[in-house]
């Protein structure tokens, strides 16, 4: 089969299309012919560079969120899956740690990631555990499925951690990005007033087209001042801050209303930020770290898709052979919306 293989850590040039042996599904696994897979800043770009906290064994194949068609099932797997159109939940839970046994598998102590701990979806074929399969409705393309199943479950998980209520004010940072655009839509589903924060006027306009009530260019405007103006001095009850850029964090943090909650599940902007602890305790603020999603969040995503309440924001679809170029586009913010590869 064809696969994009990296044999070194480094820039996009380490990604090369090669012929490699096709995998065989082990017990409890299936073999999928990949229809689409997306480019992710952390689980693709950072892993490729060697900057992620987990460094995969080389050679390696990236791709955490493939979708496609099941071609074959391994020993012990239900033959029902043969021929089914599926997406793959990229987080592989252990199922035996205390959080998993308590039904809180999003806090699994031994989570592994497709495309990090094992070969992923930058390939024509791959094997995955049956428990990670997500059946797709017939009206959803593989490109849409990879985007939606990758990011919307995390968005719904973050809404739950924030305990977001209808009519509350929400600020979404990086709102034109993959997770950000999903958070805008999910928060609107919850009945919130959504302010989209983005890094250019073009990206702000994109957020408004995809459901945000208001937008702020945080590279050009005083973010906290604009949020206070838009909310009549109240501030944002919830801030979704998934960037962790030390130059942007203070504006997002200072946008919080009294008793506000800042929820974070990302750090591609650096990860180390200044924290005004005095403001934190005087205004009774909360900072909540979260990651991943639960099966219930996946089910909620599929229900929302079926009801036509959410959609994927896709910027460009490219052939698998152009994976290196696709990485360059994502790294330089050259595309608004998700970049998707199709074998």
């Amino acid at each position: 089969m064809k696969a994009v293989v990296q044999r070194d850590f480094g820039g996009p040039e380490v990604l090369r299309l090669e012929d490699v042996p096709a995998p065989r599904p082990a017990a409890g696994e299936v073999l999928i012919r990949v229809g689409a897979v997306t480019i992710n800043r952390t689980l693709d770009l950072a892993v490729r560079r060697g900057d992620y906290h987990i460094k995969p064994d080389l050679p390696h194949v990236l791709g955490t969120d493939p979708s496609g068609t099941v071609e074959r099932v391994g020993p012990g797997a239900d033959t029902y899956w043969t021929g089914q159109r599926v997406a793959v939940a990229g987080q592989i839970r252990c199922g035996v740690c205390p959080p998993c046994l308590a039904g809180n598998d999003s806090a699994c102590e031994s989570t592994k990631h497709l495309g990090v701990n094992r070969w992923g979806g930058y390939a024509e074929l791959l094997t995955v555990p049956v428990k990670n399969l997500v059946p797709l409705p017939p009206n959803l393309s593989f490109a849409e499925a990879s985007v939606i199943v990758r990011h919307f479950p995390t968005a719904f998980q973050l809404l739950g951690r924030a305990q977001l209520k209808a009519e509350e004010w929400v600020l979404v940072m990086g709102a034109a990005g993959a997770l950000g655009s999903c958070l805008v839509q999910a928060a609107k589903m919850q009945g919130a007033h959504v302010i989209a924060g983005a890094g250019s006027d073009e990206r702000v306009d994109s957020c408004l087209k995809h459901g945000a009530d208001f937008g702020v260019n945080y590279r050009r405007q005083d973010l906290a001042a604009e949020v206070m103006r838009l909310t009549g001095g109240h501030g944002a009850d919830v801030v979704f801050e998934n960037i962790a850029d030390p130059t942007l964090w203070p504006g997002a943090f200072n946008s919080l209303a009294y008793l506000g909650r800042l929820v974070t599940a990302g750090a591609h902007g650096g990860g180390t930020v200044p924290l005004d602890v005095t403001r934190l305790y005087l205004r009774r603020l909360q900072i909540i770290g979260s990651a991943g999603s639960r099966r219930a969040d996946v089910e909620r995503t599929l229900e929302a898709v079926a009801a036509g309440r959410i959609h994927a924001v896709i910027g460009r679809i490219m052939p698998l052979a152009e994976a290196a170029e696709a990485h360059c586009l994502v790294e330089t913010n050259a595309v608004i919306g998700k970049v998707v590869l199709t074998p």
Side-chain angles (χ1 to χ4, degrees), residues 174-288:
L179 178 56
S181 64
C182 295
L183 281 164
V184 168
Q185 296 177 59
K188 287 302 297 179
M189 277 184 59
Q190 200 89 352
H193 307 291
V194 179
I195 303 170
S200 72
D201 292 343
E202 183 184 12
R203 297 177 83 82
V204 168
D205 288 342
S206 173
C207 298
L208 296 174
K209 291 176 183 175
H210 292 289
D213 298 299
F214 305 96
V216 180
N217 179 344
Y218 47 56
R219 298 289 184 188
R220 183 174 58 81
Q221 298 170 279
D222 184 322
L223 176 61
E226 279 298 299
V227 170
M228 291 302 168
R229 183 184 68 81
L230 292 169
T231 61
H234 176 75
D237 300 290
V238 174
V239 171
F240 293 110
E241 208 296 332
N242 303 304
I243 306 173
D245 181 328
T247 66
L248 298 177
W249 174 278
F253 185 73
N254 292 340
S255 297
L256 283 166
Y258 183 76
L259 299 177
R261 293 93 71 196
L262 184 150
V263 185
T264 179
H268 62 78
T272 301
V273 297
L275 178 61
D276 184 346
V277 176
T278 302
R279 187 178 183 89
L280 176 73
Y281 67 75
L282 287 179
R283 295 180 65 81
R284 276 64 166 180
L285 305 176
Q286 298 180 57
I287 300 175
I288 303 166

Side-chain angles (χ1 to χ4, degrees), residues 30 69-73 78-84:
V30 301
T69 305
V70 176
E71 288 212 340
R72 191 189 321 161
V73 301
D78 193 334
T79 56
Y80 156 82
W81 289 105
T82 304
Q84 295 296 316

Side-chain angles (χ1 to χ4, degrees), residues 55-339:
K55 286 192 176 185
D57 295 332
L58 298 177
H60 182 63
V61 174
L62 299 165
T64 194
D65 52 18
S67 59
T69 305
V70 176
E71 288 212 340
R72 191 189 321 161
V73 301
D78 193 334
T79 56
Y80 156 82
W81 289 105
T82 304
Q84 295 296 316
R85 299 172 71 253
V86 297
V88 179
Q91 295 170 324
I92 302 170
R93 315 297 191 187
C94 73
V96 296
C97 70
C100 282
L101 293 174
N104 184 22
D105 62 353
S106 68
C108 173
E109 297 173 358
S110 302
T111 295
K112 297 185 183 302
H113 287 277
L114 189 68
V116 179
N117 304 92
R118 59 186 284 168
W119 280 24
Y122 285 24
E124 293 177 323
L125 298 165
L126 84 156
T127 58
V128 297
V130 169
K131 65 182 180 180
N132 282 71
L133 299 180
V134 179
L136 297 180
N139 63 333
L140 204 60
S141 72
F142 288 134
E144 292 170 320
S146 285
V147 175
I148 287 172
V149 174
R150 169 73 180 93
H151 292 293
F152 269 103
T154 301
F156 286 125
Q157 160 83 340
L158 294 177
L159 260 64
R161 292 300 308 276
Q163 298 183 335
L164 180 65
K165 304 176 185 65
E167 302 299 327
E168 285 193 312
W169 283 94
V170 170
L171 169 64
V172 179
M173 296 292 288
L179 178 56
S181 64
C182 295
L183 281 164
V184 168
Q185 296 177 59
K188 287 302 297 179
M189 277 184 59
Q190 200 89 352
H193 307 291
V194 179
I195 303 170
S200 72
D201 292 343
E202 183 184 12
R203 297 177 83 82
V204 168
D205 288 342
S206 173
C207 298
L208 296 174
K209 291 176 183 175
H210 292 289
D213 298 299
F214 305 96
V216 180
N217 179 344
Y218 47 56
R219 298 289 184 188
R220 183 174 58 81
Q221 298 170 279
D222 184 322
L223 176 61
E226 279 298 299
V227 170
M228 291 302 168
R229 183 184 68 81
L230 292 169
T231 61
H234 176 75
D237 300 290
V238 174
V239 171
F240 293 110
E241 208 296 332
N242 303 304
I243 306 173
D245 181 328
T247 66
L248 298 177
W249 174 278
F253 185 73
N254 292 340
S255 297
L256 283 166
Y258 183 76
L259 299 177
R261 293 93 71 196
L262 184 150
V263 185
T264 179
H268 62 78
T272 301
V273 297
L275 178 61
D276 184 346
V277 176
T278 302
R279 187 178 183 89
L280 176 73
Y281 67 75
L282 287 179
R283 295 180 65 81
R284 276 64 166 180
L285 305 176
Q286 298 180 57
I287 300 175
I288 303 166
S290 187
S293 60
R294 304 159 298 171
R295 191 70 190 190
D297 301 311
V298 175
E299 298 300 330
R300 186 175 181 187
T301 294
L302 295 178
E303 291 172 4
V305 167
R309 302 190 69 187
I310 60 176
H311 62 274
V313 180
I314 297 175
R316 189 162 172 185
I317 299 176
M318 305 172 68
L320 187 64
E322 296 178 8
E325 181 183 347
H327 273 230
C328 290
L329 292 175
V330 174
E331 211 148 35
T332 58
N333 290 320
V335 175
I336 297 175
K338 201 73 171 174
V339 177

